[in-house]
Coordinates of all heavy atoms in Angstrom, one line a residue:
H6 N 2.5 -1.8 4.6 CA 3.6 -2.7 4.0 C 3.6 -4.0 4.7 O 3.8 -5.0 4.1 CB 4.9 -2.0 4.1 CG 6.0 -2.7 3.3 ND1 6.0 -2.7 1.9 CD2 7.0 -3.5 3.7 CE1 7.0 -3.4 1.5 NE2 7.6 -3.9 2.6
T7 N 3.4 -4.0 6.0 CA 3.4 -5.3 6.8 C 2.2 -6.1 6.4 O 2.4 -7.3 6.2 CB 3.4 -5.0 8.3 OG1 4.6 -4.2 8.7 CG2 3.3 -6.2 9.1
I8 N 1.1 -5.5 6.3 CA -0.1 -6.2 5.8 C 0.1 -6.8 4.4 O -0.1 -8.0 4.2 CB -1.4 -5.3 5.8 CG1 -1.8 -4.8 7.1 CG2 -2.5 -6.0 5.1 CD1 -2.4 -5.8 8.0
K9 N 0.7 -6.0 3.5 CA 1.0 -6.5 2.2 C 1.9 -7.7 2.2 O 1.7 -8.7 1.5 CB 1.6 -5.4 1.3 CG 1.8 -5.8 -0.1 CD 2.3 -4.6 -0.9 CE 3.7 -4.3 -0.7 NZ 4.3 -3.2 -1.6
G10 N 3.0 -7.6 3.0 CA 4.0 -8.7 3.0 C 3.4 -9.9 3.6 O 3.6 -11.0 3.1
N11 N 2.6 -9.8 4.7 CA 2.0 -10.9 5.3 C 0.9 -11.6 4.4 O 0.7 -12.8 4.4 CB 1.4 -10.6 6.7 CG 2.4 -10.2 7.7 OD1 3.6 -10.5 7.6 ND2 2.0 -9.6 8.8
A12 N 0.2 -10.8 3.6 CA -0.8 -11.3 2.7 C -0.1 -12.2 1.6 O -0.8 -13.1 1.1 CB -1.5 -10.1 2.0
G13 N 1.1 -11.9 1.4 CA 1.8 -12.8 0.4 C 1.9 -14.2 0.8 O 1.9 -15.1 -0.1
I14 N 1.9 -14.5 2.1 CA 2.0 -15.9 2.6 C 0.8 -16.6 2.1 O 0.9 -17.8 1.7 CB 2.0 -15.9 4.1 CG1 3.3 -15.2 4.7 CG2 1.8 -17.3 4.7 CD1 3.2 -14.9 6.1
F15 N -0.4 -16.0 2.0 CA -1.6 -16.6 1.6 C -2.0 -16.3 0.1 O -3.1 -16.7 -0.3 CB -2.7 -16.3 2.5 CG -2.5 -16.7 3.9 CD1 -2.0 -15.8 4.8 CD2 -2.7 -18.0 4.3 CE1 -1.7 -16.2 6.2 CE2 -2.5 -18.4 5.6 CZ -2.0 -17.5 6.5
E16 N -1.1 -15.7 -0.6 CA -1.3 -15.3 -2.0 C -2.6 -14.5 -2.2 O -3.4 -14.8 -3.1 CB -1.2 -16.5 -2.9 CG 0.2 -17.2 -2.8 CD 0.3 -18.4 -3.7 OE1 -0.7 -18.8 -4.3 OE2 1.4 -19.0 -3.8
L17 N -2.8 -13.6 -1.3 CA -4.1 -12.8 -1.3 C -3.8 -11.6 -2.3 O -3.7 -10.4 -1.8 CB -4.4 -12.3 0.1 CG -4.8 -13.4 1.1 CD1 -4.9 -12.8 2.5 CD2 -6.1 -14.1 0.7
K18 N -3.9 -11.9 -3.6 CA -3.5 -10.9 -4.6 C -4.4 -9.6 -4.5 O -3.9 -8.5 -4.6 CB -3.5 -11.5 -6.0 CG -2.4 -12.4 -6.1 CD -2.3 -13.0 -7.5 CE -1.2 -14.0 -7.5 NZ -1.1 -14.8 -8.7
P19 N -5.7 -9.7 -4.3 CA -6.5 -8.5 -4.2 C -6.0 -7.6 -3.0 O -6.0 -6.4 -3.1 CB -7.9 -9.0 -4.0 CG -7.9 -10.3 -4.6 CD -6.6 -10.9 -4.3
L20 N -5.7 -8.2 -1.9 CA -5.2 -7.5 -0.7 C -3.9 -6.9 -1.0 O -3.6 -5.7 -0.6 CB -5.2 -8.4 0.5 CG -4.8 -7.7 1.8 CD1 -5.6 -6.5 2.2 CD2 -4.8 -8.7 3.0
I21 N -3.0 -7.6 -1.6 CA -1.7 -7.1 -1.9 C -1.8 -5.9 -2.9 O -1.1 -4.9 -2.7 CB -0.8 -8.3 -2.6 CG1 -0.5 -9.3 -1.5 CG2 0.5 -7.7 -3.2 CD1 0.0 -10.6 -2.1
Q22 N -2.6 -6.0 -3.9 CA -2.8 -4.9 -4.8 C -3.4 -3.7 -4.2 O -3.0 -2.6 -4.4 CB -3.7 -5.4 -6.0 CG -3.0 -6.4 -6.9 CD -4.0 -7.0 -7.9 OE1 -5.2 -7.0 -7.7 NE2 -3.4 -7.6 -8.9
L23 N -4.4 -3.9 -3.3 CA -5.0 -2.8 -2.6 C -3.9 -2.1 -1.7 O -3.8 -0.9 -1.7 CB -6.1 -3.3 -1.7 CG -6.9 -2.2 -0.9 CD1 -7.4 -1.1 -1.8 CD2 -8.1 -2.9 -0.2
C24 N -3.1 -2.9 -1.0 CA -2.1 -2.3 -0.1 C -1.1 -1.5 -1.0 O -0.6 -0.5 -0.6 CB -1.4 -3.4 0.6 SG -2.3 -4.1 2.0
H25 N -0.7 -2.1 -2.1 CA 0.3 -1.5 -3.0 C -0.3 -0.1 -3.5 O 0.5 0.9 -3.5 CB 0.6 -2.4 -4.2 CG 1.6 -1.8 -5.1 ND1 3.0 -1.7 -4.7 CD2 1.5 -1.2 -6.3 CE1 3.6 -1.1 -5.7 NE2 2.8 -0.8 -6.7
A26 N -1.5 0.0 -3.9 CA -2.1 1.2 -4.3 C -2.1 2.2 -3.2 O -1.8 3.4 -3.4 CB -3.5 1.0 -4.9
F27 N -2.5 1.8 -2.0 CA -2.5 2.6 -0.8 C -1.1 3.2 -0.6 O -0.9 4.4 -0.4 CB -3.0 1.8 0.4 CG -3.2 2.6 1.6 CD1 -4.5 2.9 2.1 CD2 -2.1 3.0 2.4 CE1 -4.7 3.6 3.2 CE2 -2.4 3.7 3.6 CZ -3.7 4.0 4.0
E28 N -0.1 2.3 -0.6 CA 1.3 2.8 -0.4 C 1.7 3.8 -1.4 O 2.4 4.8 -1.1 CB 2.2 1.6 -0.4 CG 2.2 0.7 0.8 CD 3.1 -0.5 0.6 OE1 3.1 -1.2 -0.5 OE2 3.9 -0.8 1.5
T29 N 1.4 3.5 -2.6 CA 1.8 4.4 -3.7 C 1.2 5.8 -3.5 O 1.9 6.8 -3.6 CB 1.3 3.9 -5.1 OG1 1.9 2.6 -5.3 CG2 1.6 4.8 -6.2
R30 N -0.1 5.9 -3.1 CA -0.7 7.2 -2.9 C -0.1 8.0 -1.8 O 0.2 9.2 -1.9 CB -2.2 7.0 -2.7 CG -3.0 8.3 -2.5 CD -2.9 9.1 -3.8 NE -3.6 10.4 -3.7 CZ -3.0 11.6 -3.8 NH1 -1.7 11.7 -4.0 NH2 -3.7 12.7 -3.6
F31 N 0.1 7.3 -0.7 CA 0.6 7.9 0.5 C 2.1 8.2 0.4 O 2.6 9.2 1.0 CB 0.2 7.2 1.8 CG -1.2 7.5 2.2 CD1 -2.2 6.8 1.7 CD2 -1.4 8.6 3.1 CE1 -3.5 7.1 2.1 CE2 -2.7 8.9 3.4 CZ -3.8 8.2 2.9
T32 N 2.8 7.4 -0.3 CA 4.3 7.7 -0.6 C 4.4 8.9 -1.4 O 5.3 9.7 -1.2 CB 5.0 6.5 -1.2 OG1 4.9 5.3 -0.4 CG2 6.4 6.8 -1.5
T33 N 3.5 9.1 -2.4 CA 3.6 10.3 -3.2 C 3.3 11.5 -2.4 O 4.1 12.5 -2.5 CB 2.5 10.2 -4.3 OG1 2.8 9.1 -5.2 CG2 2.5 11.5 -5.2
L34 N 2.3 11.5 -1.5 CA 2.1 12.6 -0.6 C 3.3 12.9 0.3 O 3.7 14.0 0.5 CB 0.9 12.4 0.3 CG -0.5 12.4 -0.4 CD1 -1.6 12.0 0.6 CD2 -0.8 13.8 -1.0
Q35 N 3.9 11.8 0.8 CA 5.0 12.0 1.7 C 6.2 12.6 1.0 O 6.8 13.5 1.5 CB 5.4 10.6 2.3 CG 6.6 10.6 3.2 CD 7.0 9.2 3.6 OE1 7.0 8.3 2.8 NE2 7.4 9.0 4.9
S36 N 6.5 12.1 -0.2 CA 7.6 12.7 -0.9 C 7.5 14.1 -1.3 O 8.4 14.9 -1.4 CB 7.9 11.8 -2.2 OG 6.9 12.0 -3.1
K37 N 6.2 14.6 -1.5 CA 5.9 16.0 -1.8 C 5.7 16.8 -0.6 O 5.4 18.0 -0.7 CB 4.7 16.0 -2.7 CG 4.9 15.4 -4.1 CD 3.6 15.6 -4.9 CE 3.8 15.0 -6.3 NZ 2.6 15.1 -7.1
A38 N 5.8 16.2 0.6 CA 5.5 16.8 1.9 C 4.1 17.5 1.9 O 4.0 18.6 2.4 CB 6.6 17.8 2.2
E39 N 3.2 16.8 1.3 CA 1.8 17.3 1.3 C 1.0 16.6 2.3 O 1.1 15.4 2.5 CB 1.2 17.0 -0.1 CG 1.7 17.8 -1.3 CD 1.0 17.4 -2.6 OE1 -0.1 16.8 -2.6 OE2 1.6 17.8 -3.6
A40 N 0.1 17.4 2.9 CA -0.8 16.8 3.9 C -2.0 16.2 3.1 O -2.4 16.7 2.1 CB -1.4 17.9 4.8
P41 N -2.5 15.0 3.6 CA -3.6 14.4 2.9 C -4.9 15.2 3.0 O -5.2 15.7 4.1 CB -3.7 13.0 3.6 CG -3.0 13.2 4.9 CD -2.0 14.3 4.7
T42 N -5.6 15.3 1.9 CA -6.9 16.0 1.9 C -7.9 15.1 2.6 O -7.7 13.9 2.8 CB -7.3 16.3 0.5 OG1 -7.5 15.1 -0.2 CG2 -6.3 17.2 -0.2

C-alpha cells in the first residue's frame, strides 16, 4: 500500500494497478484466513 501511495506522486499508473491487484489478492486470503499457496 505504501508503494502504491508513493507511486501516485509520479502518476505511475502501471505500478499503482499492479499494487492494487496484489493488495486485492492478499486481502482476500487474509479475510478468509487462508494461507497463500
Side-chain angles (χ1 to χ4, degrees):
H6 188 76
T7 299
I8 295 285
K9 182 174 78 172
N11 290 346
I14 296 168
F15 298 99
E16 299 178 357
L17 297 171
K18 290 181 183 175
L20 182 55
I21 293 166
Q22 291 169 340
L23 181 56
C24 289
H25 182 71
F27 187 104
E28 286 177 313
T29 299
R30 181 65 180 117
F31 279 87
T32 298
T33 300
L34 289 174
Q35 180 185 39
S36 68
K37 293 180 179 180
E39 291 181 16
T42 63

